[in-house]
Structure formats: C-alpha cells, structure tokens
C-alpha cells in the first residue's frame, strides 16, 4: 500500500454526532527504532511485542459544527482538562487531515486515560496515539462503511505513526514489524504489519515486568534523541545492524531459541543507549539502579539458567522479559532482588497481547 491508498473515497453520510471508544496497548521494541526522517519515516526497521495490560483507553465524541475553518476539540486526561497535551494533538491532526478530511467538520471531545499510573515514566504516546487513531478510523467507517478490515487496520497504523512512530506498532498483536525490509514481505515504512513469519508458541505468552526505576521527567525527549542520529558518527552501522538483526530474528522466533533471543534483545537495548551516549550532545538516560538491575539479571541468569533478559526503552526503566513457564520463580526474584531498585518499590506485570479493542457504550 502507498500513501494514496490512505486517501478516502467520497463520504456517503455525515452523522450529526456520535461517540466511539477504543483501548490500545503499549508495546516494547525488541529491535529498536531510533533515527527518522520527515515525516515520521524510520531510519531502520523495528519489531515489538504488543503488550496487554499497559494500555490507554480513549473515547472521541463528535458533533457537527457550522464553521469548518479550523480544528475544534477539548481534551480530558483522566477526567481533567489537559491543555499541555493539546499542541501535540493539534500537530497530529494537521498531519493527518489530508487522510481523514472530516476533521474540521466536527467538534471533538477527546477523553483519555491510562491503565498504568501517570508519572510512572511509562511512555503513553504509543498507546495514546494508537487509541486515538482507532477512534478516528471508527468514525471514518461510519462515514464510509465500505472500508475493508485490512485497509482499516493499515490506515489506523499509518495515522498512529504520524502521531508517534512507535504507536504504529500498537494496533495489532502479538509481534508487529514496522519499516521496509527487503526480506520481510509487505513490510513498509508507512505502517506496522503483523509479523508474517512463524512465531514459536513460547513468544505468544511472553511476560514483561516493567521495573519502574525512575518516574520523573526524562532529561532528553525521544524527539530530540531521534534528531541526534543525524550526523551521528555510528548511525549508518547502527541502522545496518537493525536490518541484520531482523534477519537473524526470523529463525530465532520460529525455533524459540531463547539463548540467541536474549543476546539479540539485550544487545539492541544497550546499542540504543550507546547511541545516546555517543550523540553530540551526549546524554545518559540510565540511572545507577538501571545498572544494578542489569547486573543482578546477569548473575541470576548465570546461577539459575533461567532464560530471563532485559530490554530498555528511551528511559531508565527496565523491561524484564521471560517466558510464562518460569514466571513463578522470576516473580520471587523480582520481589527479593529487584524491587529494592525501583522507585517506591514499584513494578508492573504485563505480557504479550493482541492489540486494540473497541469498547462498547
Ligand atoms: C526507544 O516512537 O517515542 O522506544 O516517533 O518521535 O514519537 P516519535 O518517537 P517514539 O520513539 C520510540 C523509541 C524507542 C524505541 C522503539 O520503541 O522502537
């Protein structure tokens, strides 16, 4: 599919008002997206586990308005008006207007809430933009009911990408790949696809416990971090490594080869942070407790041969990844050894999930 496939046909009806609600999960990348060019085109392909319980629920109420001169919307976050989210939403609406031209015809009331505590340091832009995109696609389907399901999902992912790159991987489950790759059929820079190759059952119920090391504001945003990959001395090698890692993952994911999976995933996480540390200006998002946790994971894995590993996103929190078969032991390990490194002892259990769902009512 190309950009033109996402331009809508003529709308058949324009309801006066309505309301739609969708829940979208967060995702955790195994091969990381870091570096992009305008508009929201990734420098390298990435792949992520879709999560399950870390999610955003968004409802969009729409009401026809007379003047169609601009965007009109109210934004409520966890029941309260949220003015500081509005510029990001406005930029998003500007970027997607061409593809969903009904936007200026309505006044929207957008209400959004997260399943995870706000200020947990968990990025909500992926789940938030995915949920909002599904709501907008649902409204578009009311205006033009003939849109088929695969176009519906591809376009939701396309819109979500224009809000936040990683959001395009939160529409579907269980493993979603984004970014054109010559050996992955139907892969695209424009939207995420369900991973098209064999996936060993071990990965379909994989667990992710998010250890909340630091809940404060990040020193450097992802947006700035991505920009610092321009002119970065190691950028080209890094991008090539991501392409190669996606090739390697094909057999790892099919065979359920956890030893190789662990090597690749941990290397991706540390490479991401190595890119940050070697940017100019350089920066470090890990905290001392991030490193304490990583060392304890390595010691525990060595001593018990339990296939548990870590990954990191653009922050200090650690995602602990492990098969559901070793869950009981790993939960003891977390309680006994890792919780002390989390801010207020907090962590969140999650696992691989299956993507967005519509909420009735
Ligand atoms: C480190 O998707 O947050 O989590 O496109 O600027 O919104 P924008 O960036 P964003 O970047 C995510 C970076 C990452 C890696 C990943 O999820 O692949």
């Amino acid at each position: 599919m190309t950009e033109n496939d996402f331009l809508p046909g003529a709308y058949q009806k324009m309801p006066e008002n309505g309301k739609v609600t969708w829940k979208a999960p967060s995702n955790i990348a195994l091969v990381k997206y870091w570096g992009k060019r305008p508009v929201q085109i990734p420098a390298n392909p990435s792949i992520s586990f879709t999560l399950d319980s870390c999610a955003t629920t968004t409802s969009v109420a729409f009401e026809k308005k007379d003047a169609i001169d601009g965007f009109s919307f109210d934004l409520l976050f966890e029941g309260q008006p949220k003015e500081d989210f509005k510029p990001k939403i406005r930029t998003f609406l500007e970027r997607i207007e061409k593809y969903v031209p009904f936007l200026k015809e309505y006044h929207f009331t957008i209400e959004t809430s997260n399943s995870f505590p706000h200020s947990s340091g968990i990025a909500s832009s992926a789940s938030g933009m995915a949920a909002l995109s599904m709501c907008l696609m649902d409204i578009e389907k009311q205006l033009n009911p003939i849109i088929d399901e695969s176009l519906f999902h591809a376009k939701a992912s396309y819109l979500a990408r224009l809000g936040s790159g990683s959001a395009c991987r939160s529409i579907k489950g269980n493993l979603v790949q984004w970014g054109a790759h010559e050996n992955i059929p139907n892969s695209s820079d424009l939207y995420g696809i369900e991973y098209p190759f064999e996936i060993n059952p071990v990965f379909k119920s994989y667990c992710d416990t998010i250890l909340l090391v630091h809940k404060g504001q990040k020193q450097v945003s992802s947006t700035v971090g991505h920009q610092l990959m321009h002119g970065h001395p190691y950028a080209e090698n890094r991008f090539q490594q991501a392409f190669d890692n996606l090739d390697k993952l094909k057999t790892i994911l099919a065979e359920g080869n956890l030893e190789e999976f662990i090597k690749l995933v941990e290397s991706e996480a540390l490479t991401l942070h190595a890119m940050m540390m070697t940017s100019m200006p350089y920066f470090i998002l890990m905290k001392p407790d991030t490193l304490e946790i990583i060392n304890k994971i390595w010691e525990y894995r060595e001593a018990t041969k339990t296939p548990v590993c870590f990954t990191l996103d653009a922050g200090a929190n650690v995602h602990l990844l492990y098969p559901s078969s070793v869950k009981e032991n790993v939960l003891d390990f977390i309680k006994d050894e890792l919780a002390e490194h989390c801010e207020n002892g907090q962590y969140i259990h999650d696992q691989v999930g299956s993507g967005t769902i519509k909420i009735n009512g």
Side-chain angles (χ1 to χ4, degrees):
M1 275 183 255
T2 66
E3 304 206 327
N4 285 341
D5 293 312
F6 299 119
L7 294 169
Y11 293 141
Q12 293 167 16
K13 46 184 175 187
M14 284 303 239
E16 279 302 306
N17 55 51
K19 186 176 177 182
V20 293
T21 305
W22 283 81
K23 182 174 174 185
S26 187
N27 69 72
I28 181 67
L30 305 173
V31 173
K32 308 289 180 181
Y33 148 58
W34 198 243
K36 61 176 167 179
R37 55 190 167 80
V39 178
Q40 296 291 97
I41 298 298
N44 63 261
S46 59
I47 185 169
S48 50
F49 277 141
T50 305
L51 295 180
D52 187 43
S53 43
C54 284
T56 299
T57 301
T58 298
S59 67
V60 177
F62 53 101
E63 190 161 12
K64 202 114 178 42
K65 63 183 172 72
D66 298 330
I68 53 165
D69 47 344
F71 299 120
S72 165
F73 64 97
D74 295 317
L75 188 67
L76 297 166
F77 177 66
E78 279 159 15
Q80 302 295 322
K82 191 81 180 162
E83 289 305 310
D84 45 334
F85 278 10
K86 279 183 126 181
K88 193 161 185 186
I89 301 290
R90 190 170 293 280
T91 306
F92 176 56
L93 298 180
E94 279 161 10
R95 279 188 191 158
I96 65 171
E97 192 200 354
K98 191 168 146 195
Y99 305 100
V100 274
F102 61 84
L103 290 180
K104 284 186 177 155
E105 309 263 353
Y106 292 102
H107 173 77
F108 297 100
T109 305
I110 304 169
E111 292 189 64
T112 184
S113 61
N114 292 334
S115 66
F116 41 89
H118 61 259
S119 82
S120 61
I122 300 182
S124 57
S125 63
S127 51
M129 287 298 176
L132 180 56
S133 298
M134 288 301 277
C135 288
L136 295 176
M137 285 309 298
D138 198 350
I139 297 170
E140 176 158 281
K141 200 174 162 66
Q142 294 183 26
L143 309 187
N144 187 9
I146 56 171
I147 183 165
D148 75 56
E149 203 169 321
S150 68
L151 180 60
F152 182 91
H153 285 109
K155 184 165 170 181
S157 175
Y158 179 87
L159 298 180
R161 183 197 105 239
L162 292 171
S164 176
S166 55
C168 79
R169 299 187 313 236
S170 271
I171 302 293
K172 291 280 208 154
N174 309 5
L175 269 164
V176 176
Q177 190 274 333
W178 168 43
H181 188 300
E182 59 175 356
N183 300 329
I184 303 179
N186 301 321
S187 59
S188 170
D189 283 344
L190 303 179
Y191 50 89
I193 58 167
E194 287 175 275
Y195 190 62
F197 302 126
E198 189 186 343
I199 303 170
N200 189 282
V202 71
F203 295 117
K204 299 204 171 161
S205 60
Y206 229 68
C207 299
D208 177 6
T209 300
I210 307 161
L211 303 161
L212 303 174
V213 170
H214 182 69
K215 305 196 289 176
Q217 189 78 16
K218 278 186 287 192
Q219 275 162 283
V220 179
S221 70
S222 291
T223 312
V224 172
H226 283 290
Q227 276 165 13
L228 293 173
M229 288 301 278
H230 292 288
H232 189 296
Y234 308 132
E236 286 315 312
N237 284 332
R238 158 58 199 153
F239 299 148
Q240 187 55 46
Q241 179 194 40
F243 279 88
D244 297 343
N245 278 343
L246 273 153
D247 278 330
K248 286 187 192 151
L249 265 179
K250 188 175 173 185
T251 38
I252 294 174
L253 292 175
E255 288 171 358
N257 185 338
L258 297 185
E259 205 176 312
E260 291 302 315
F261 177 80
I262 287 170
K263 276 194 221 160
L264 189 148
V265 167
E266 291 191 344
S267 160
E268 273 288 323
L270 293 180
T271 303
L272 169 70
H273 284 257
M275 290 299 112
M276 298 173 185
M277 289 188 243
T278 48
S279 295
M280 192 55 78
Y282 41 81
F283 59 104
I284 301 180
L285 296 184
M286 291 185 286
K287 298 284 178 195
D289 280 315
T290 311
L291 297 178
E292 294 283 355
I293 290 172
I294 290 174
N295 279 304
K296 283 193 174 175
I297 293 169
W298 286 342
E299 278 165 25
Y300 176 79
R301 193 164 73 219
E302 179 65 31
T304 64
K305 306 292 172 219
T306 309
V308 51
C309 71
F310 70 87
T311 188
L312 306 165
D313 55 17
N317 295 335
V318 179
H319 288 249
L320 195 64
L321 301 178
Y322 50 95
S324 55
S325 58
V326 298
K327 191 170 175 177
E328 242 170 86
N329 290 346
V330 173
L331 296 188
D332 285 341
F333 166 55
I334 295 168
K335 262 188 268 148
D336 298 344
E337 303 265 353
L338 304 183
E340 65 193 78
H341 299 290
C342 299
E343 205 170 319
N344 306 324
Q346 273 188 299
Y347 50 86
I348 298 173
H349 291 302
D350 209 341
Q351 62 183 45
V352 169
S354 47
T356 47
I357 51 168
K358 185 173 164 107
I359 310 285
N360 291 321

